Structure formats: C-alpha cells, structure tokens
Amino acid sequence: MTTESLPREVPATEDPTLFATMSTMRAMRRLSPEPVSWETLERLVQAAVWGPSGGNMQAYEYVVVTDRQVMADLAPLWKRCVDAYLATTGKYAPKGMDEAAYARMVAAIEYQRDHFADTPALIVPCYRFPEPRLDEEGLIASAVALGPVATERLMTTQDRFQALAEGSCVYPGVQNLLLAARGLGLAANVTIWHLMLEEEWKEALGIPEEMRTFAAVPVGWPKGNFGPVRRRPVAEVVHRDRW
C-alpha cells in the first residue's frame, strides 16, 4: 500500500536574502551622476552571463556604455522614445494603480528622460541565434511529430517563435543583472522603449545589423531609497493545475 508523499518544507533557518532582494527591487529611475566602476559593471555582466541560455548556445553580447559623449548622443533618442510612450500606452494609469501613484511613476520617468545624459552606465543586451542547421529528414520528422495542423500554424507564427526563443535566452540573464545590481546597492530598470527607434540606436552604438537588441538598462547609484514592491497577491494570479 502506498501513500502520496508529502511536499518537502523549506527549513525556517533557510537564508532569505535572495527573497528580500527581490521584494525590494523597484525600478529605480532617479540616478546619481556618480560613476560606477568598470569592475562593478563587469560583475553585473558576469551575473547576466550566468543566466540560462537555450541549448547553451550563449549567443549573447552586451554593449556597456559609460562614455559621456556617447551617452549624450543617445539622450535625444531616449527622449523621443519616452515621449512616444507617454503619448500612447503611458498616457493612462494601468488597471488597479491609483492616479497619484502613477503620477509619481511618470514623474520619475520624466526625470530620467531629462537627465539621461548624466546616466552613469547603460547596458544593452543583444542576441542573435546562429543560422539553424536543418535537413529534409529532420523537417519531415518534425512535421510528423507536430501533426499537419500544428505544423501549418508554426509556419505562420515563425517570426514570433524566433523572437520568443531569443528572448527566452537573453531575459533570464537580464534578470540576473538586475538582481546583481540590487544586491550591490545599485539602481537599475529595464526598458524596451528603444525598440521604437532600434535602427537609430544600433547605428549610434555600432551594433551589427544581424544582432537584435532586447533591452536598454540604465544603471547607477540611487538617489532614492529601495523599498517593498507593490504587486498583485499570489492568490489573484495563480491557477492551480488548470486555468
């Protein structure tokens, strides 16, 4: 006679430091112009490199900007992207967020926009899958495994599949970078607004055409204080076993 095994409990003495770090990892947009050492920035990129990469392909590259002139050249592009965001999606508070809190967030976004040239460092993660190695036999076997309907559907969503596949390889590293920054007392926030002018950003930074950029992460010492993040309760977002 067998009984269902009981779930293992985490010991109460387990170090909660990582959870405390995550629970206070706000998007910090008000940065001091004080420089961040290159050694510290390398530690952030090292944390990103430790992130999982699909198939262990590790096809990522990181552009780390600290040069004042380059940052000044990027500032007008950042302003155009932020203004476009605030005129559209960012015009209204998200559902469940009160207007006063959203106004404070917009004020921080505008502060970062207006002081972007003073940003101590900017990290731009890039990724591009190598060309796939495919053969007729493998394609036929893949189609058999998926079935005709799913195979046809995959063909029509290939671009989305490719973007998500690359994103799933680069964003775990970005999260590692953000955690490392918070652990070292640095402020950082991740945005993808630069994608509205991605070609201009790539030209300004000399990023090869074949590389895709996945985020722009300003990094610096915070002007404000870290505090608890405000998120929806787990009970509101979890679906156990089925939706």
Side-chain angles (χ1 to χ4, degrees):
M1 183 175 181
T2 62
T3 59
E4 184 178 351
S5 61
L6 296 174
R8 181 184 298 190
E9 295 293 335
V10 176
T13 56
E14 199 71 28
D15 184 6
T17 302
L18 176 60
F19 283 80
T21 298
M22 291 189 290
S23 70
T24 59
M25 200 170 69
R26 288 178 175 173
M28 301 286 281
R29 299 180 174 91
R30 299 178 189 271
L31 307 180
S32 165
E34 180 185 356
V36 178
S37 73
W38 184 254
E39 291 74 20
T40 298
L41 294 172
E42 282 189 323
R43 293 183 70 186
L44 300 186
V45 176
Q46 175 64 82
V49 167
W50 283 331
S53 174
N56 198 30
M57 283 184 284
Q58 303 186 46
Y60 40 66
E61 307 281 347
Y62 294 86
V63 179
V64 183
V65 180
T66 58
D67 184 273
R68 293 299 89 207
Q69 184 56 57
V70 176
M71 204 73 75
D73 293 341
L74 293 175
L77 295 177
W78 184 271
K79 182 181 187 304
R80 289 168 63 188
C81 293
V82 171
D83 288 348
Y85 169 78
L86 291 178
T88 53
T89 305
K91 191 173 183 177
Y92 306 101
K95 181 181 178 181
M97 187 176 189
D98 67 70
E99 294 293 337
Y102 188 62
R104 290 193 295 272
M105 189 177 86
V106 170
I109 291 172
E110 292 174 336
Y111 178 92
Q112 187 175 54
R113 175 197 64 191
D114 298 340
H115 296 80
F116 186 81
D118 296 327
T119 302
L122 181 76
I123 300 177
V124 180
C126 307
Y127 204 94
R128 182 62 172 165
F129 269 142
E131 287 297 320
R133 293 180 292 178
L134 303 175
D135 56 68
E136 184 176 357
E137 182 182 358
L139 289 173
I140 293 173
S142 173
V144 170
L146 294 175
V149 174
T151 297
E152 183 178 357
R153 185 168 60 236
L154 179 62
M155 296 303 294
T156 62
T157 60
Q158 190 61 41
D159 288 346
R160 179 171 182 265
F161 187 92
Q162 172 85 2
L164 289 173
E166 290 183 326
S168 69
C169 291
V170 72
Y171 286 128
V174 173
Q175 181 67 6
N176 271 12
L177 188 154
L178 295 174
L179 283 167
R182 174 66 187 91
L184 295 172
L186 286 161
N189 69 288
V190 58
T191 78
I192 60 168
W193 297 335
H194 78 289
L195 293 176
M196 291 184 275
L197 294 171
E198 185 181 25
E199 293 305 312
E200 289 83 349
W201 280 78
K202 288 171 69 172
E203 181 179 358
L205 294 173
I207 297 173
E209 180 63 29
E210 67 272 14
M211 294 298 296
R212 302 182 194 227
T213 63
F214 283 82
V217 185
V219 177
W221 302 106
K223 279 195 166 184
N225 298 316
F226 291 103
V229 298
R230 295 179 177 86
R231 300 290 187 267
R232 294 169 62 190
V234 171
E236 289 185 9
V237 300
V238 69
H239 302 271
R240 190 167 181 173
D241 296 326
R242 293 180 60 84
W243 186 276

